[in-house]
Amino acid sequence: MIEYFTYKEAMSYLGINSYQGLRNLFSEGLPIIQVGKTKKISKSAIDEFMKEHQKVIND
């Protein structure tokens, strides 16, 4: 399994359809790995971020 995603792969994994949605997660603290000009997102970081941001919403 892939451990480091491109932005497009991360969006697919998260079920996000726009780069703005991904940028919103970055502003909320989702970490990015940058080596030179290449930016990646760790699958385990996404999983941990989502776990930390779980909320029960009663509509």
Side-chain angles (χ1 to χ4, degrees), residues 10-22:
M11 288 169 49
S12 177
Y13 182 68
L14 288 162
I16 296 173
N17 296 325
S18 72
Y19 284 104
Q20 184 58 49
L22 190 58

Side-chain angles (χ1 to χ4, degrees), residues 24-52:
N24 290 342
L25 294 180
F26 296 151
S27 69
E28 292 183 34
L30 179 63
I32 304 166
I33 299 164
Q34 183 169 352
V35 179
K37 293 183 179 182
T38 302
K39 295 179 182 177
K40 299 280 185 174
I41 305 165
S42 167
K43 179 188 178 299
S44 59
I46 291 172
D47 292 339
E48 185 65 27
F49 177 84
M50 296 302 281
K51 184 177 178 183
E52 290 173 358

